[in-house]
Amino acid sequence: MSHITQVFRPNYKALIAYLTVGYPDIATTEKAAITLAGSGVDIIELGIPFSDPLADGATIQKASHQALEQGITPEVCLEVARKLHQKITTPLVFMTYYNPVLNFGLEAFCRSCVEAGASGLIIPDLPPEEGEELEVATQKHHLDLIYLLAPTSTEERIATVAKRSRGFIYLVSLTGVTGARQNLPAELEDFVRRVRQKASQPLCVGFGVSSPEQARRIARIADGVIVGSHLIRLIEEDATLSSLRNFTLSLREALDG
Amino acid sequence: MTSRDRPDHRGYFGPYGGKFVPETLMSALSELEEAYNEARGDADFQREFQELCREYIGRPTPLYHAQQLSAKIGGATILLKREDLAHTGAHKINNAVGQGLLAKRMGKRRIIAETGAGQHGVAVAAACAKLGLNAIIYMGEEDIQRQSPNVHRMKLMGAEVRPVSSGSRTLKDAINEALRDWVTNVHDTYYLLGSVVGPHPYPMMVRDFQSIIGEETKEQVLAIYRRLPNYLIACVGGGSNAIGLFHPFFNEAQVKFIGVEAAGRGLGTNQHAATLAAGKRGVLHGTKSYLLADDSGQIRETHSIAPGLDYPGVGPEHSYYKDSGRATYVAVTDAQALEGFELLSQTEGIIPAMEPAHAIYYAAKLAADLSRDQLIVINLSGRGDKDLDIVRKLAGAEP
């Protein structure tokens, strides 16, 4: 059992939170991660910024851009993970695009992730068709490669991801890019049900989540909720991070209730 | 393996190509591939495409013997494939009409596209007006400024032009935005990609629609000269006009292919767009190919006087041609391209677009060292009216 799968247990809903490493600066990322760990977050996704984040909406685009301008590299992100791993026990997962990973070297990157204390990888532009090489490298180093499914995924694709995703399956709630939304689509329940019929992994829903009500709705059908862009905005708005803390606590409460 | 066998069923040209896109788009790509394969084998579809090529685009475009240019250089015989005479003034229309027909066949009426120089945007706007489709064109703010005549043309033909303000505000960022739109509106939207880049099946499909350039060239050169050309020369940004010319000659090993990239302010600076000459392997915009990136794998900003070449990636089939040695890739600077621009304007009374001006410069240098019986075909992929502002500004900036 991996660090990630240990998070999921009967009658418990996981809360997964995303941070862009280095936005607005490294000290804030570290402080925010520690805050999240202490306010009911079960897994922290550390985003390694990429110059062309085509699955991301305006909020994460801007955060990535500013992080890159400050010279954030994959090496710096690994260092941040290493430090955090010494301070908190919350499993860490890297989220980034394929080119920085490929550039680092698949094998070297996986080894470095494990050395830094990370437990998994999410690569939104790497569908299973293209993921075999990285699967080999992640399995060798006992990292979970987490695949995504979307409302447009066919039954055949759901079956493939159900066979190959490790840790959990990331369900993209809507057709679109990341970013806070007022409403999640009406078909969400059907989508989760379709995946549940084929997959035995925990199912976590992300993209668009920005309120405890949405989290509660997701908790009724899925095993975890993923929140990202809204957290970035809260960090922007309130440097003391108390808004961040209050919001994640409210999500935790919604999931536990 | 013959050229017709490539790409393989996973969309790979050797180690290059594939589909590196968010899960949301994977089904749409499969649907597109299926629809395209059906259309490709459908005589009615092909007939309709051929008819539009003839009646709407004005094909075949001439293969023109540039006598004055050849005489001035005093070397090889230079022929120009006159894609600048195609409707809307560039080769881009071939692909826009082909994919426009496919979109219509698939029942998708909302068309999105990216554009750099604006030539693809203009072609999409025209094809959509003609075929009764709605066009939304993403264009970087920087390109909107430097290619404003094309922005007016697109709007005049009923397209909506959406400015892109992220990143370098050029073609790369316009593609990002178009992909984000597609991810969001995938149910009713057709992405009409303008070059041989992006995820499978785009590099294959765009190549096929552009191959009419090389097919006509072959027929024309054989009819006039009774033999194949010695060199085919074309500029390479994403690489669609070059692949369109090269592909039908793939199996004719004696025909040499030369792709000319943009060396911008010089390969020694970071201000160029010579992806094959100076790049490394990676993944950008859904395809594995050569690209320009820094030590951390972040995509670099590029520079070229020619907006259509100002792109940090390149089509996967070109990467395959490079590694296999089938084609040679060279790079020409802004200043040299400007010389090519003036040379053709003055010798032949033909104002080329800044993109093929790169190919003209290189071809002229090469031709000087060759004998008259050597035939060089340059793909004159577009006309230069759109670039007059750029040239005027440069002239004004000189002391």
Side-chain angles (χ1 to χ4, degrees):
Chain A
M1 224 159 96
S2 72
H3 287 120
I4 294 173
T5 44
Q6 280 170 22
V7 164
F8 300 93
R9 22 185 218 276
N11 302 317
Y12 181 78
K13 302 297 176 182
L15 178 56
I16 301 170
Y18 168 93
L19 296 171
T20 300
V21 177
Y23 181 75
D25 50 51
I26 290 179
T28 307
T29 302
E30 289 174 0
K31 250 189 355 200
I34 292 165
T35 304
L36 293 171
S39 48
V41 168
D42 300 289
I43 296 171
I44 296 172
E45 274 181 40
L46 294 174
I48 301 176
F50 179 53
S51 53
D52 294 79
L54 55 86
D56 285 303
T59 307
I60 296 177
Q61 279 178 50
K62 184 181 141 204
S64 303
H65 184 73
Q66 290 198 17
L68 287 173
E69 292 215 314
Q70 294 179 61
I72 303 295
T73 61
E75 285 82 357
V76 172
C77 297
L78 286 162
E79 188 52 40
V80 169
R82 197 171 295 125
K83 275 203 215 154
L84 285 173
H85 189 60
Q86 287 162 5
K87 293 182 184 159
I88 56 178
T89 56
T90 314
L92 303 173
V93 169
F94 278 117
M95 178 152 183
T96 191
Y97 289 80
Y98 195 44
N99 199 54
V101 177
L102 201 58
N103 183 76
F104 201 102
L106 302 186
E107 178 78 35
F109 184 71
C110 291
R111 195 185 318 119
S112 303
C113 284
V114 171
E115 282 167 11
S119 306
L121 286 180
I122 302 170
I123 318 275
D125 61 344
L126 190 74
E129 280 84 345
E130 307 291 354
E132 275 175 37
E133 274 181 273
L134 187 59
E135 276 177 43
V136 171
T138 49
Q139 281 165 26
K140 182 174 164 192
H141 293 280
H142 308 288
L143 269 178
D144 286 333
L145 180 58
I146 297 152
Y147 281 119
L148 298 89
L149 282 170
T152 53
S153 301
T154 57
E155 299 304 312
E156 197 188 340
R157 301 193 55 78
I158 292 173
T160 302
V161 167
K163 216 182 297 165
R164 290 168 52 185
S165 191
R166 301 294 177 100
F168 63 88
I169 300 176
Y170 191 133
L171 305 195
V172 176
S173 69
L174 43 81
T175 54
V177 293
T178 60
R181 311 284 205 285
Q182 289 288 323
N183 299 302
L184 296 177
E187 306 82 26
L188 182 61
E189 281 76 7
D190 277 347
F191 170 42
V192 178
R193 210 169 294 128
R194 276 203 301 138
V195 179
R196 188 74 81 190
Q197 282 171 4
K198 294 205 164 58
S200 54
Q201 297 95 325
L203 308 181
C204 300
V205 176
F207 279 43
V209 180
S210 61
S211 72
E213 292 70 37
Q214 290 169 333
R216 205 171 291 125
R217 178 176 161 202
I218 292 167
R220 272 185 231 121
I221 44 173
D223 308 299
V225 171
I226 307 167
V227 58
S229 298
H230 192 66
L231 303 185
I232 306 264
R233 270 205 230 156
L234 293 176
I235 292 170
E236 269 169 21
E237 283 165 18
D238 174 9
T240 70
L241 304 183
S242 42
S243 301
L244 179 73
R245 183 182 160 77
N246 292 337
F247 178 70
T248 41
L249 281 171
S250 74
L251 290 183
R252 181 75 269 162
E253 207 179 291
L255 296 178
D256 290 344
Chain B
M1 206 188 212
T2 72
S3 59
R4 290 278 167 207
D5 298 330
R6 261 184 308 273
D8 66 16
H9 68 285
R10 295 174 58 224
Y12 274 84
F13 304 86
Y16 302 109
K19 299 181 190 181
F20 296 84
V21 295
E23 174 65 25
T24 309
L25 293 180
M26 288 302 285
S27 307
L29 288 174
S30 301
E31 185 195 354
L32 177 61
E33 192 180 345
E34 206 173 299
Y36 175 63
N37 283 333
E38 260 178 45
R40 198 187 203 183
D42 178 356
D44 286 340
F45 180 85
Q46 292 302 336
R47 199 175 309 120
E48 203 176 350
F49 178 58
Q50 295 300 335
E51 195 179 300
L52 282 169
C53 281
R54 198 173 56 241
E55 307 294 333
Y56 186 65
I57 301 178
R59 305 204 70 90
T61 59
L63 182 69
Y64 168 76
H65 179 197
Q67 292 187 31
Q68 274 58 245
L69 177 63
S70 304
K72 176 153 191 196
I73 293 162
T77 300
I78 298 175
L79 309 174
L80 303 176
K81 180 59 177 164
R82 297 290 307 273
E83 291 301 297
D84 61 317
L85 293 178
H87 177 47
T88 68
H91 74 291
K92 293 289 184 189
I93 191 75
N94 305 327
N95 170 56
V97 164
Q99 286 198 57
L101 279 176
L102 183 62
K104 208 172 163 179
R105 184 184 167 102
M106 292 172 74
K108 309 225 174 190
R109 310 199 76 83
R110 182 178 183 270
I111 309 295
I112 55 169
E114 81 296 338
T115 197
Q119 289 304 104
H120 175 56
V122 167
V124 170
C128 287
K130 159 79 189 158
L131 299 171
L133 305 166
N134 303 315
I136 296 164
I137 316 286
Y138 288 93
M139 188 169 185
E141 278 178 348
E142 159 114 11
D143 289 334
I144 286 181
Q145 271 179 23
R146 55 180 174 168
Q147 304 273 258
S148 63
N150 276 342
V151 177
H152 292 300
R153 282 191 194 105
M154 287 183 253
K155 288 181 177 167
L156 197 60
M157 291 184 281
E160 180 190 338
V161 179
R162 292 194 183 166
V164 176
S165 58
S166 58
S168 56
R169 305 182 299 141
T170 58
L171 180 56
K172 159 179 96 80
D173 311 285
I175 295 180
N176 287 337
E177 269 322 298
L179 283 166
R180 288 182 188 120
D181 180 315
W182 201 26
V183 167
T184 307
N185 301 297
V186 61
H187 293 296
D188 66 347
T189 297
Y190 184 96
Y191 182 18
L192 208 166
L193 191 47
S195 193
V196 287
V197 300
H200 180 63
Y202 285 104
M204 168 182 78
M205 187 165 67
V206 177
R207 173 199 71 194
D208 290 352
F209 287 128
Q210 293 294 4
S211 288
I212 194 164
I213 301 172
E215 284 157 12
E216 284 176 9
T217 301
K218 203 181 217 178
E219 216 169 279
Q220 291 165 322
V221 76
L222 286 174
I224 307 165
Y225 297 91
R226 308 269 163 220
R227 61 190 174 93
L228 291 168
N230 302 87
Y231 293 91
L232 302 178
I233 302 182
C235 62
V236 176
S240 71
N241 89 81
I243 281 289
L245 178 64
F246 296 168
H247 182 68
F249 292 89
F250 184 85
N251 293 325
E252 268 78 52
Q254 72 272 33
V255 181
K256 297 183 185 73
F257 301 167
I258 300 175
V260 186
E261 295 188 302
R265 299 195 172 101
L267 293 186
T269 71
N270 265 344
Q271 295 181 310
H272 64 77
T275 309
L276 290 161
K280 55 182 171 180
R281 298 176 186 87
V283 167
L284 173 66
H285 294 147
T287 192
K288 193 183 272 184
S289 194
Y290 278 84
L291 48 75
L292 293 169
D294 69 12
D295 292 342
S296 297
Q298 307 296 343
I299 307 305
R300 282 219 334 247
E301 293 195 1
T302 51
H303 163 81
S304 170
I305 190 174
L309 305 184
D310 202 352
Y311 180 63
V314 69
E317 197 164 10
H318 282 294
S319 293
Y320 174 74
Y321 278 12
K322 176 190 158 84
D323 285 6
S324 65
R326 183 62 189 91
T328 306
Y329 296 90
V330 298
V332 156
T333 64
D334 287 352
Q336 292 170 329
L338 203 53
E339 272 183 52
F341 179 87
E342 285 165 359
L343 178 65
L344 190 67
S345 301
Q346 286 161 14
T347 54
E348 297 288 345
I350 296 171
I351 301 172
M354 223 18 119
E355 290 80 12
H358 287 71
I360 291 157
Y361 175 85
Y362 187 81
K365 287 283 159 214
L366 175 72
D369 296 329
L370 298 172
S371 59
R372 241 176 91 182
D373 63 331
Q374 297 279 300
L375 291 179
I376 296 179
V377 176
I378 306 173
N379 195 358
L380 186 54
S381 56
R383 68 177 188 216
D385 311 46
K386 69 178 180 66
D387 295 318
L388 297 183
D389 271 359
I390 293 177
V391 176
R392 223 173 3 232
K393 268 187 204 134
L394 280 174
E398 278 166 16

